[in-house]
Amino acid sequence: MSKFIVTKSANGEYRFKLNAGNGETILTSEGYSAKPGCMNGIDSVKSNAPHEERYEKKTSTNDKFYFNLKATNGQVIGTSQMYAASAGRDNGIASVKTNAPVATIDDQTI
């Protein structure tokens, strides 16, 4: 079962990552100063994940492939890992589309 894992870093920021059923991280958030913002970020991922037009396919300076998931306002709400091939990136997008809407939340900050 896929899940969002919520953590708090040493600098006090909250982050989430979306893990697929096999435990592999497929999307990571930016840092949030407050937990409610982080939880809103998860809600945004869940609602935006099914929409192809919300994905921005990118190539890094070292020729690795990744993607950003954006909200309707254009703000990045999650970034993928780096992939060696564009097909891996595309599979990552498909995984987020499938997993994010049904993922549970594992809040490790409690």
Side-chain angles (χ1 to χ4, degrees):
M1 183 100 190
S2 57
K3 63 182 171 181
F4 288 95
I5 299 173
V6 179
T7 58
K8 187 174 182 182
S9 60
N11 68 358
E13 287 186 331
Y14 292 87
R15 298 181 186 278
F16 65 82
K17 60 183 179 177
L18 173 61
N19 283 5
N22 64 3
E24 183 177 336
T25 299
I26 50 178
L27 195 72
T28 305
S29 75
E30 298 179 305
Y32 294 89
S33 59
K35 189 173 179 179
C38 185
M39 301 310 277
N40 287 340
I42 290 172
D43 289 341
S44 185
V45 169
K46 286 182 171 230
S47 64
N48 286 289
H51 305 284
E52 180 68 33
E53 67 275 12
R54 303 281 194 270
Y55 293 89
E56 178 183 44
K57 296 179 179 183
K58 308 280 281 177
T59 305
S60 69
T61 55
N62 64 348
D63 294 324
K64 299 285 185 183
F65 299 89
Y66 69 103
F67 63 88
N68 289 323
L69 175 61
K70 293 185 169 188
T72 53
N73 65 4
Q75 181 178 351
V76 174
I77 50 179
T79 301
S80 74
Q81 65 180 16
M82 295 290 176
Y83 296 94
S86 61
R89 174 190 60 204
D90 295 345
N91 289 339
I93 291 171
S95 183
V96 172
K97 285 181 176 180
T98 301
N99 288 293
V102 298
T104 59
I105 298 174
D106 178 4
D107 186 349
Q108 297 184 354
T109 67
I110 300 174

